[in-house]
Coordinates of all heavy atoms in Angstrom, one line a residue:
E81 N 24.5 13.6 10.1 CA 24.7 15.0 9.6 C 24.8 15.0 8.0 O 24.6 16.0 7.4 CB 26.0 15.6 10.1 CG 27.3 14.9 9.7 CD 27.6 13.6 10.5 OE1 26.8 13.2 11.3 OE2 28.7 13.1 10.2
R82 N 24.9 13.8 7.4 CA 24.9 13.8 5.9 C 23.5 14.1 5.4 O 23.4 14.5 4.2 CB 25.4 12.4 5.4 CG 26.9 12.2 5.5 CD 27.2 10.8 5.0 NE 26.7 10.6 3.6 CZ 26.6 9.4 3.0 NH1 27.0 8.3 3.6 NH2 26.2 9.3 1.8
F83 N 22.5 13.9 6.2 CA 21.1 14.0 5.7 C 20.3 15.0 6.5 O 19.4 15.7 5.9 CB 20.4 12.6 5.8 CG 21.2 11.6 5.0 CD1 22.0 10.7 5.7 CD2 21.1 11.5 3.6 CE1 22.7 9.7 5.0 CE2 21.7 10.5 2.9 CZ 22.5 9.6 3.6
I84 N 20.5 15.2 7.8 CA 19.7 16.1 8.6 C 20.5 17.4 8.9 O 21.6 17.3 9.5 CB 19.4 15.4 10.0 CG1 18.7 14.1 9.8 CG2 18.5 16.3 10.8 CD1 18.4 13.3 11.1
P85 N 20.0 18.5 8.4 CA 20.7 19.8 8.6 C 20.5 20.3 10.0 O 19.8 19.7 10.9 CB 19.9 20.7 7.6 CG 18.6 20.1 7.5 CD 18.7 18.6 7.7
L86 N 21.2 21.4 10.3 CA 21.2 22.0 11.7 C 19.8 22.2 12.2 O 19.5 21.9 13.4 CB 22.0 23.3 11.7 CG 21.9 24.1 12.9 CD1 22.5 23.3 14.1 CD2 22.7 25.4 12.7
D87 N 18.9 22.7 11.4 CA 17.6 23.0 11.9 C 16.6 21.9 11.7 O 15.4 22.1 11.9 CB 17.0 24.3 11.2 CG 16.8 24.1 9.7 OD1 17.3 23.1 9.2 OD2 16.2 25.0 9.1
G88 N 17.0 20.7 11.2 CA 16.1 19.6 10.9 C 15.4 19.1 12.1 O 16.0 18.9 13.2
E89 N 14.1 18.8 11.9 CA 13.3 18.2 13.0 C 13.5 16.7 12.8 O 13.3 16.1 11.7 CB 11.8 18.5 12.9 CG 11.0 17.9 14.0 CD 9.5 18.1 13.7 OE1 9.1 18.5 12.6 OE2 8.7 17.7 14.6
F90 N 13.8 15.9 13.9 CA 14.1 14.5 13.8 C 13.4 13.7 14.9 O 14.0 13.1 15.7 CB 15.6 14.2 13.7 CG 16.4 14.7 14.9 CD1 16.8 13.9 15.9 CD2 16.7 16.1 15.0 CE1 17.6 14.3 16.9 CE2 17.5 16.5 16.0 CZ 17.9 15.7 17.0
P91 N 12.1 13.6 14.8 CA 11.3 12.7 15.7 C 11.7 11.3 15.5 O 12.2 10.9 14.4 CB 9.9 13.0 15.4 CG 9.9 13.4 14.0 CD 11.2 14.2 13.8
V92 N 11.4 10.4 16.5 CA 11.8 9.0 16.4 C 10.6 8.1 16.7 O 9.8 8.4 17.6 CB 12.9 8.7 17.4 CG1 13.3 7.2 17.4 CG2 14.2 9.5 17.2
K93 N 10.4 7.1 15.9 CA 9.5 6.0 16.2 C 10.0 4.7 15.7 O 10.9 4.7 14.9 CB 8.1 6.4 15.6 CG 8.1 6.4 14.0 CD 6.7 6.8 13.5 CE 6.7 6.9 12.0 NZ 5.3 7.2 11.5
G94 N 9.4 3.6 16.2 CA 9.9 2.3 15.8 C 9.2 1.2 16.5 O 8.2 1.4 17.2
Y95 N 9.8 0.0 16.4 CA 9.3 -1.1 17.1 C 10.4 -2.1 17.4 O 11.5 -2.1 16.9 CB 8.2 -1.8 16.3 CG 8.7 -2.4 14.9 CD1 9.1 -3.7 14.8 CD2 8.7 -1.6 13.8 CE1 9.6 -4.2 13.6 CE2 9.1 -2.1 12.6 CZ 9.6 -3.4 12.5 OH 10.0 -3.9 11.3
S96 N 10.1 -3.1 18.3 CA 11.0 -4.1 18.7 C 10.3 -5.4 18.7 O 9.2 -5.5 19.3 CB 11.6 -3.8 20.1 OG 12.4 -4.8 20.5
L97 N 10.9 -6.5 18.2 CA 10.3 -7.8 18.1 C 11.4 -8.8 18.5 O 12.5 -8.8 18.0 CB 9.8 -8.1 16.7 CG 8.7 -7.3 16.1 CD1 8.4 -7.7 14.7 CD2 7.4 -7.5 16.9
N98 N 11.0 -9.7 19.5 CA 11.8 -10.8 19.9 C 13.2 -10.4 20.2 O 14.2 -11.0 19.8 CB 11.9 -11.9 18.7 CG 10.6 -12.4 18.3 OD1 9.7 -12.7 19.1 ND2 10.4 -12.6 17.0
S99 N 13.3 -9.3 21.0 CA 14.6 -8.7 21.4 C 14.6 -8.4 22.9 O 13.6 -8.2 23.5 CB 14.9 -7.4 20.6 OG 14.9 -7.7 19.2
A100 N 15.9 -8.4 23.4 CA 16.0 -8.0 24.8 C 15.5 -6.6 25.1 O 15.0 -6.3 26.2 CB 17.5 -8.1 25.2
L101 N 15.7 -5.7 24.1 CA 15.3 -4.3 24.3 C 13.8 -4.3 23.8 O 13.5 -4.0 22.7 CB 16.1 -3.4 23.4 CG 17.6 -3.3 23.8 CD1 18.4 -2.3 22.9 CD2 17.8 -3.0 25.3
H102 N 12.9 -4.6 24.7 CA 11.5 -4.7 24.3 C 10.7 -3.4 24.6 O 9.6 -3.3 24.1 CB 10.8 -5.9 25.0 CG 11.0 -5.9 26.5 ND1 10.2 -5.1 27.3 CD2 11.9 -6.5 27.3 CE1 10.5 -5.3 28.6 NE2 11.6 -6.1 28.6
S103 N 11.2 -2.5 25.4 CA 10.5 -1.3 25.7 C 10.7 -0.2 24.5 O 11.8 0.3 24.4 CB 11.0 -0.6 27.0 OG 10.4 0.6 27.2
V104 N 9.7 0.0 23.8 CA 9.8 0.9 22.6 C 10.0 2.3 23.1 O 10.9 3.0 22.5 CB 8.5 0.8 21.7 CG1 8.5 1.9 20.6 CG2 8.5 -0.6 21.0
P105 N 9.3 2.8 24.1 CA 9.6 4.2 24.5 C 11.0 4.4 25.0 O 11.7 5.4 24.7 CB 8.6 4.4 25.7 CG 7.5 3.5 25.4 CD 8.1 2.3 24.8
A106 N 11.6 3.4 25.7 CA 13.0 3.5 26.1 C 13.9 3.5 24.9 O 14.9 4.3 24.9 CB 13.3 2.4 27.0
C107 N 13.6 2.7 23.9 CA 14.5 2.6 22.7 C 14.4 4.0 21.9 O 15.4 4.5 21.4 CB 14.1 1.5 21.8 SG 14.4 -0.2 22.5
Q108 N 13.2 4.5 21.9 CA 13.0 5.8 21.2 C 13.9 6.9 21.9 O 14.5 7.7 21.2 CB 11.5 6.3 21.3 CG 10.6 5.6 20.3 CD 9.2 6.0 20.5 OE1 8.6 5.8 21.6 NE2 8.6 6.7 19.5
A109 N 13.9 6.9 23.2 CA 14.6 7.9 23.9 C 16.1 7.7 23.7 O 16.9 8.7 23.5 CB 14.4 7.8 25.4
I110 N 16.6 6.5 23.6 CA 18.0 6.2 23.4 C 18.4 6.7 22.0 O 19.5 7.3 21.7 CB 18.4 4.8 23.6 CG1 18.2 4.4 25.1 CG2 19.8 4.4 23.1 CD1 19.3 5.1 26.0
V111 N 17.6 6.3 21.0 CA 17.9 6.7 19.6 C 17.9 8.2 19.4 O 18.8 8.7 18.8 CB 16.9 6.0 18.6 CG1 17.0 6.6 17.2 CG2 17.0 4.5 18.6
K112 N 16.9 8.8 20.0 CA 16.9 10.3 19.9 C 18.1 10.9 20.6 O 18.7 11.9 20.0 CB 15.6 10.8 20.7 CG 15.5 12.3 20.7 CD 15.0 12.8 19.3 CE 14.7 14.3 19.4 NZ 14.2 14.9 18.1
K113 N 18.5 10.5 21.7 CA 19.7 11.0 22.5 C 20.9 10.8 21.7 O 21.8 11.8 21.5 CB 19.8 10.3 23.8 CG 20.9 10.9 24.7 CD 20.9 10.2 26.0 CE 22.1 10.7 26.9 NZ 22.1 10.0 28.2
A114 N 21.1 9.6 21.1 CA 22.4 9.4 20.3 C 22.4 10.2 19.0 O 23.5 10.7 18.7 CB 22.5 7.9 20.0
A115 N 21.3 10.3 18.3 CA 21.3 11.1 17.1 C 21.5 12.5 17.4 O 22.2 13.2 16.6 CB 19.9 10.9 16.4
A116 N 20.9 13.0 18.5 CA 21.1 14.4 18.9 C 22.5 14.7 19.2 O 23.1 15.8 18.9 CB 20.2 14.8 20.0
K117 N 23.2 13.8 19.9 CA 24.6 14.0 20.2 C 25.4 14.0 19.0 O 26.3 14.9 18.9 CB 25.1 12.8 21.2 CG 26.5 13.0 21.6 CD 26.9 12.0 22.7 CE 28.4 12.2 23.1 NZ 28.8 11.2 24.1
R118 N 25.2 13.1 18.1 CA 26.0 13.1 16.8 C 25.8 14.4 16.0 O 26.8 15.0 15.6 CB 25.5 11.9 16.0 CG 26.1 11.9 14.5 CD 27.5 11.3 14.5 NE 28.1 11.4 13.2 CZ 29.0 10.5 12.7 NH1 29.4 9.5 13.5 NH2 29.5 10.6 11.5
L119 N 24.6 14.8 15.9 CA 24.3 16.1 15.2 C 24.8 17.3 15.9 O 25.4 18.2 15.3 CB 22.8 16.2 15.0 CG 22.1 15.2 14.0 CD1 20.6 15.3 14.1 CD2 22.6 15.6 12.6
G120 N 24.7 17.3 17.3 CA 25.3 18.4 18.0 C 26.8 18.5 17.9 O 27.3 19.6 17.8
N121 N 27.4 17.4 17.9 CA 28.9 17.4 17.7 C 29.2 17.9 16.3 O 30.2 18.6 16.1 CB 29.5 16.0 17.9 CG 29.4 15.6 19.4 OD1 29.2 16.4 20.3 ND2 29.5 14.3 19.6
A122 N 28.5 17.5 15.3 CA 28.8 17.9 14.0 C 28.6 19.3 13.7 O 29.3 20.0 13.0 CB 27.9 17.0 13.0

Side-chain angles (χ1 to χ4, degrees):
E81 68 278 6
R82 285 182 52 193
F83 304 100
I84 304 177
L86 172 60
D87 65 346
E89 180 190 11
F90 55 103
V92 177
K93 62 181 179 181
Y95 63 91
S96 177
L97 296 173
N98 303 319
S99 298
L101 300 181
H102 55 80
S103 171
V104 171
C107 293
Q108 283 177 295
I110 292 293
V111 171
K112 179 75 174 184
K113 183 179 178 181
K117 183 175 180 179
R118 172 81 185 211
L119 290 168
N121 291 341

